[in-house]
Amino acid sequence: MNHWWLLFLLNLPLLQEVTRKYLIYSDFVFLGADVLSILTAIALALQGKLNLKALPPVFCLLAPLFIVWTSFNHGISGNHIGIYGIGLRATFLPLIYMLISAQYLSAVSNGYERILVCVNVWILIIGTMALLQLFLGEHHPINMVWGTMGLGIGDYTTQDKGILLPGLFRPTSIFTHTGKFGQVIFTLVLFKWCYLAFSQIKRSPFSYLLIVFDLIVIFASGQRAGLTFLISAVAIIAALCIQQNVANIGKLIVGASIILGAVLLAAMVQPKLAMAVYDRFASTITSIPIRLEGNFWLPMKTMLDSYLFMGEGLGSFTFGSHLFGGTLVYRAIKMEGLGESSLIRFCGEVGVMATVILVIAYLALVGKGLKVSRDHKGTPLVAGALFYCIWIVSLMLWSNTADVFANSVVATLGYALSGAVLARPEKILGDG
């Protein structure tokens, strides 16, 4: 199969969002992208090129069990079959993108280098659009979704201080909602930084200077959780760099110096703006107990009491299910707290036990990623595998305070960047 077609598909999660915002504001855009990716995966499988054997045995055991369990749950729920389809899509479509990514990396000797170029281009496009929206103002038509009056922007506030700086807001960039912007830019920047740290390829100083732009875009997004997990990821990357290869310490020092210098310069040039940004992101720490209580501890009591073995049906509360009668979990289930989290949504849909099965299945992929990073040091596989491990664990933690896994754009994008976990090592060893 044409390698450029596979690379196109790996960019499809972002291309479909751009298409939906600026050309065709319809959920059928997602359907079209799904059809392309699924048909491509089927074609690869028929050619024997889909590396299904790389899937961990635990995943291969638990994923079918989850499907059988949830299909039975769906049967007794009486839901529209479309709701179950939406649920399966959100649960397993990202895996299809990982398998396609694995085939691309196995077939193209410098596949991850090409993916890195795409990531850099997307960061520049997304960041430039976000900054332009901020410059032109909240009510400028550039913030609108094509053909609608929807804005999708967010407030740049904290719970205790309210609006931090008049006129400052959270833009949507090329997305239909600011939440997608923040989660996508976190994913792209994390991949880029992991690849710069672990790829062991000599690069020009300009590659590291672009880290400054990455930071600017992260701050512009106002995504507090994104920055929190990015800081945690940097600490993990630093520790792994020191453990795996002393030569990478130079990269670490350069990157840290650039980040620190950029932050100090911004604080001196725009002190009011810098203080607003600081207040916004510092409020993450104080809001963690509140968010956890409202989105995890309190609603989990309801889940354990009423949804231990069965739920309302897979997909019932997943984004997109409204087309078939679905809704949001905190609107359908009376519970303490808000319950705006992926974990609570899954528990409400399929029950606590089935949710545990799904979590264990995907944690098996994390284990596979760690094994790949240990067994194939010195290859681009390490960067992609470690990115996946850090990214998916971050999202699992993040999902306890926001339903990040309901965002198919972010989920499919992250798995499209993580093909190293399932790639054929013999095809890539020695590359780079």
Side-chain angles (χ1 to χ4, degrees):
M1 187 169 292
N2 188 281
H3 302 157
W4 291 108
W5 172 252
L6 296 181
L7 185 61
F8 167 77
L9 289 179
L10 299 184
N11 284 272
L12 201 54
L14 296 179
L15 290 171
Q16 68 182 1
E17 184 70 7
V18 173
T19 301
R20 189 167 175 267
K21 180 171 182 177
Y22 296 110
L23 296 176
I24 308 171
Y25 186 61
S26 170
D27 289 342
F28 283 105
V29 174
F30 293 137
L31 177 62
D34 294 350
V35 169
L36 291 178
S37 59
I38 293 172
L39 290 179
T40 299
I42 293 173
L44 290 172
L46 292 175
Q47 298 172 27
K49 295 180 178 180
L50 211 62
N51 195 19
L52 296 173
K53 293 181 179 179
L55 288 169
V58 172
F59 186 93
C60 294
L61 174 66
L62 294 183
L65 176 60
F66 177 83
I67 293 174
V68 172
W69 189 316
T70 56
S71 62
F72 174 75
N73 191 173
H74 170 75
I76 63 176
S77 71
N79 291 336
H80 190 286
I81 187 63
I83 287 182
Y84 188 63
I86 292 291
L88 285 178
R89 172 188 183 274
T91 307
F92 294 110
L93 182 65
L95 183 65
I96 291 177
Y97 274 88
M98 178 181 274
L99 287 164
I100 292 174
S101 177
Q103 170 55 25
Y104 176 74
L105 295 173
S106 301
V108 180
S109 61
N110 61 341
Y112 255 139
E113 285 295 304
R114 294 184 183 182
I115 290 176
L116 179 65
V117 171
C118 293
V119 166
N120 272 319
V121 170
W122 279 116
I123 291 175
L124 289 171
I125 292 173
I126 292 169
T128 301
M129 178 59 75
L131 295 175
L132 188 60
Q133 288 172 344
L134 286 170
F135 177 77
L136 293 175
E138 178 178 349
H139 299 290
H140 192 276
I142 196 173
N143 286 297
M144 304 292 181
V145 177
W146 183 262
T148 76
M149 293 303 292
L151 290 173
I153 64 174
D155 295 326
Y156 212 97
T157 63
T158 63
Q159 189 171 4
D160 54 341
K161 295 184 178 181
I163 296 176
L164 296 171
L165 194 65
L168 185 61
F169 62 96
R170 295 170 60 201
T172 60
S173 185
I174 62 173
F175 305 95
T176 53
H177 191 276
T178 185
K180 291 183 180 181
F181 169 32
Q183 293 163 19
V184 165
I185 201 62
F186 162 75
T187 301
L188 292 173
V189 169
L190 178 59
F191 171 82
K192 175 182 172 180
W193 289 8
C194 282
Y195 197 73
L196 289 177
F198 297 117
S199 62
Q200 297 188 4
I201 296 175
K202 188 175 181 180
R203 304 188 185 279
S204 67
F206 181 71
S207 298
Y208 296 98
L209 287 175
L210 282 175
I211 291 176
V212 176
F213 187 76
D214 301 340
L215 278 175
I216 292 172
V217 182
I218 288 287
F219 289 138
S221 74
Q223 186 60 266
R224 295 179 294 179
L227 181 64
T228 301
F229 285 112
L230 194 60
I231 292 173
S232 301
V234 168
I236 295 172
I237 291 171
L240 291 173
C241 280
I242 294 172
Q243 179 188 21
Q244 290 192 3
N245 191 340
V246 178
N248 277 336
I249 294 179
K251 292 183 180 181
L252 184 63
I253 293 174
V254 171
S257 299
I258 291 173
I259 292 173
L260 182 60
V263 171
L264 292 176
L265 181 62
M268 291 187 293
V269 175
Q270 289 286 345
K272 289 185 178 181
L273 179 59
M275 182 55 66
V277 171
Y278 170 80
D279 286 339
R280 168 71 183 172
F281 287 98
S283 66
T284 306
I285 307 300
T286 58
S287 66
I288 287 177
I290 299 172
R291 297 291 293 271
L292 282 177
E293 182 181 28
N295 288 321
F296 178 69
W297 296 115
L298 292 178
M300 184 53 72
K301 294 178 182 178
T302 302
M303 297 300 129
L304 291 171
D305 289 340
S306 305
Y307 296 94
L308 183 58
F309 295 105
M310 292 291 173
E312 300 294 333
L314 182 64
S316 297
F317 311 125
T318 303
F319 290 170
S321 65
H322 66 279
L323 296 172
F324 307 100
T327 184
L328 297 176
V329 63
Y330 48 82
R331 291 179 180 172
I333 299 177
K334 185 178 180 181
M335 59 182 133
E336 292 185 79
L338 180 58
E340 187 184 8
S341 75
S342 298
L343 189 63
I344 297 303
R345 172 173 62 83
F346 272 119
C347 289
E349 288 183 344
V350 301
V352 176
M353 296 303 296
T355 300
V356 171
I357 289 174
L358 185 65
V359 171
I360 294 174
Y362 273 96
L363 282 177
L365 284 176
V366 176
K368 178 66 184 298
L370 291 174
K371 185 177 185 302
V372 169
S373 68
R374 288 194 304 267
D375 293 347
H376 303 293
K377 293 180 181 180
T379 75
L381 288 174
V382 174
L386 288 177
F387 157 75
Y388 173 73
C389 295
I390 297 172
W391 173 77
I392 195 64
V393 171
S394 296
L395 256 62
M396 284 183 174
L397 295 173
W398 193 344
S399 70
N400 288 312
T401 59
D403 196 356
V404 293
F405 287 111
N407 185 350
S408 63
V409 175
V410 176
T412 51
L413 174 64
Y415 277 79
L417 296 172
S418 306
V421 176
L422 302 179
R424 293 178 172 87
E426 66 274 9
K427 301 288 186 179
I428 307 173
L429 287 178
D431 177 33

